[in-house]
Structure formats: structure tokens, C-alpha cells
Amino acid sequence: MMQIVVDFNDTYVPITLNQELTLMTFMAPQKIGTDQELLIKIEPQGNPFLPNVFNLDFGPPDIETVVARARGRRV
């Protein structure tokens, strides 16, 4: 099982950030000593029974392709 820990005292400077504050890229240090560009995308869940619930997509910059494939859509 993967465990995600959010530490608001350990933050990264955005490379890109849209006006709505729902899409951001940043450089994340890797264990091997390099940096990797990552993307965060926040969007409403879209379920009327879950108001004010959001999806948080987190991953490589081509996340749109990754998310579409995971949801069974053609890219």
C-alpha cells in the first residue's frame, strides 16, 4: 500500500501555476540525486452526492494522457 504524507512546511516553488490555482508544475528532488518535473491537477469530483470533494492528480507532466488512459479513454 502506498502512503502519502502531506507536509505544508516542506514546499516547492512552482514552475507553472494557472490563474485558478488548479494546475501546477514543480521540480521534485529524487532519491537518486536528480530532479523530476511533476504536475498537480485539482478538479471537482463531479458527483452530486459528494459536493465540495476534489480529485487530486499528481504525477508526470503528461498526466493528462496517463489519467485518460486510466479512465479508459482513448488519447
Side-chain angles (χ1 to χ4, degrees):
M1 177 198 288
M2 185 169 83
Q3 181 179 359
I4 298 174
V5 177
V6 178
D7 180 355
F8 291 106
N9 294 313
D10 187 12
T11 60
Y12 301 98
V13 177
I15 296 172
T16 60
L17 180 62
N18 70 353
Q19 285 188 320
E20 296 81 18
L21 304 177
T22 58
L23 191 65
M24 177 184 122
T25 60
F26 64 96
M27 296 303 287
Q30 305 298 295
K31 289 183 180 182
I32 61 173
T34 61
D35 288 339
Q36 173 66 49
E37 183 178 6
L38 294 179
L39 179 136
I40 296 176
K41 181 179 178 184
I42 303 169
E43 59 187 356
Q45 168 66 17
N47 186 325
F49 296 108
L50 300 171
N52 301 317
V53 174
F54 295 86
N55 286 328
L56 176 63
D57 296 329
F58 182 86
D62 64 344
I63 196 166
E64 297 293 334
T65 302
V66 173
V67 170
R69 287 183 181 153
R71 292 182 177 163
R73 288 184 266 163
R74 294 186 83 195
V75 179

